[in-house]
Amino acid sequence: MKKILIVDDEPRTRQGIRKTLEAWSSGDHQIETASSGAEALAWLERNEANLLVTDIRMPEMGGLDLVEKLNGMAKPPVVIVVSGHPEFDYAQRALQLGVVEYLLKPLDKNKLLRAVEQALKREGDLHRIGRMEKLVDSKLLEAGEQENRFSPPVRETLKYLDERLHEPVSMRDVADHLHLNASYFSVLFKEQTGLTFSEYLTRRRVQRAKELLMNTRLPISEIAERVGYQTAKYFVKVFRSLESVSPGQYRQSVAETEETIQ
């Protein structure tokens, strides 16, 4: 259930927006309200919101000041601002802060609902992008983008490793498979991929582990085995060295709803 926080110091406007969104939502979204920027900030320090609908002009802390504070959060909500004043400076600052919509009072209910639907869609897109950024290893991505330029032995190596991530594989094993001198192969691989053989293999194993952590509920010990580590303890050490979090913490950070877990 997505959460929408409405912030406005005018009770009539605040309750009007709430009633409109509750009727539109039919219970599918949790609608919360705050009567000031300070109250909203306190609520957001304890809770997450997917969407913030806030008035601009409020005593003590205006809507844009609130948005500026929220931009430092790990997962800030997307924002719609509401204003009774069509002032260019407000609109310009709202744009700079990444606000997705700027609505003028008196609010047109249909425009409000269209803005909310678009904002929640954008929030979903940003969430998916954030998940993908957590999933993809940038160095592997760079190497993958150059793969069509790799020599046949290096391309064969990447395929060979992908099929054997669950097995103990050494650089000499691969060099022997390719009928190449191990020293020559080591230099060739690093020259073309930008990574040593050992670094590539480790990153590829952690990449596969991240996919399993995100998309399954397999225990950490089984994931460790599936990506070629004989002990879960060593797997956790390697994973943490690359991702700065444990596998369990990573899984929690990218967790979706129960229905999406396979």
Side-chain angles (χ1 to χ4, degrees):
M1 181 179 289
K2 293 195 172 185
K3 296 179 184 177
I4 301 173
L5 177 62
I6 302 160
V7 190
D8 200 306
D9 61 319
E10 298 178 12
R12 184 176 177 181
T13 303
R14 186 170 67 248
Q15 294 307 320
I17 295 174
R18 179 175 193 161
K19 288 179 181 178
T20 300
L21 294 187
E22 284 179 339
W24 159 81
S25 169
S26 299
D28 290 339
H29 299 77
Q30 181 178 333
I31 315 296
E32 301 287 343
T33 63
S35 60
S36 69
E39 184 184 338
L41 189 60
W43 188 89
L44 286 162
E45 286 172 351
R46 303 186 306 271
N47 305 275
E48 276 192 2
N50 302 92
L51 171 62
L52 173 70
V53 181
T54 180
D55 189 21
I56 283 190
R57 285 193 177 183
M58 294 183 290
E60 297 180 18
M61 185 189 297
L64 294 182
D65 293 329
L66 170 62
V67 174
E68 194 163 21
K69 290 181 182 295
L70 297 184
N71 279 344
M73 293 171 55
K75 188 184 173 186
V78 291
V79 181
I80 293 171
V81 295
V82 177
S83 176
H85 309 274
E87 297 179 19
F88 174 75
D89 289 347
Y90 279 149
Q92 185 181 45
R93 188 176 171 211
L95 186 64
Q96 291 169 341
L97 291 171
V99 170
V100 300
E101 188 64 80
Y102 188 101
L103 300 176
L104 293 174
K105 295 179 181 178
L107 286 172
D108 178 290
K109 289 184 180 181
N110 290 326
K111 285 184 178 179
L112 171 64
L113 295 179
R114 282 198 299 270
V116 167
E117 288 170 354
Q118 290 171 0
L120 288 174
K121 181 179 182 301
R122 178 169 178 183
E123 190 270 343
D125 291 342
L126 291 172
H127 179 55
R128 282 188 288 275
I129 290 168
R131 280 167 53 80
M132 288 305 297
E133 287 174 346
K134 287 183 178 181
L135 175 64
V136 176
D137 183 311
S138 59
K139 289 194 175 182
L140 289 182
L141 185 62
E142 287 175 20
E145 289 172 346
Q146 302 297 319
E147 189 170 345
N148 61 339
R149 301 180 187 176
F150 294 164
S151 63
V154 172
R155 287 202 299 271
E156 174 63 21
T157 298
L158 303 189
K159 182 174 180 290
Y160 183 88
L161 292 178
D162 266 359
E163 294 170 352
R164 292 168 176 79
L165 287 179
H166 59 289
E167 301 175 4
V169 181
S170 70
M171 185 179 70
R172 184 168 294 278
D173 291 335
V174 180
D176 289 346
H177 171 73
L178 297 171
H179 308 293
L180 293 174
N181 174 275
S183 297
Y184 168 75
F185 171 70
S186 174
V187 172
L188 179 70
F189 190 88
K190 173 71 185 316
E191 188 178 77
Q192 294 191 19
T193 66
L195 300 168
T196 66
F197 176 86
S198 176
E199 185 180 4
Y200 178 88
L201 180 57
T202 298
R203 286 181 176 276
R204 190 65 192 87
R205 281 177 164 158
V206 169
Q207 176 76 45
R208 176 71 59 80
K210 286 159 68 177
E211 294 165 6
L212 292 171
L213 287 165
M214 177 181 284
N215 297 314
T216 77
R217 288 191 287 179
L218 291 171
I220 304 299
S221 58
E222 186 169 342
I223 290 175
E225 289 180 17
R226 288 195 180 198
V227 297
Y229 293 98
Q230 294 182 341
T231 67
K233 185 177 179 181
Y234 185 61
F235 164 64
V236 170
K237 180 181 178 181
V238 172
F239 192 98
R240 190 186 289 276
S241 72
L242 278 182
E243 298 297 321
S244 301
V245 293
S246 70
Q249 290 168 329
Y250 176 86
R251 171 176 270 166
Q252 186 176 4
S253 74
V254 298
E256 286 270 341
T257 58
E258 191 76 14
E259 289 77 15
T260 63
I261 298 174
Q262 298 174 359

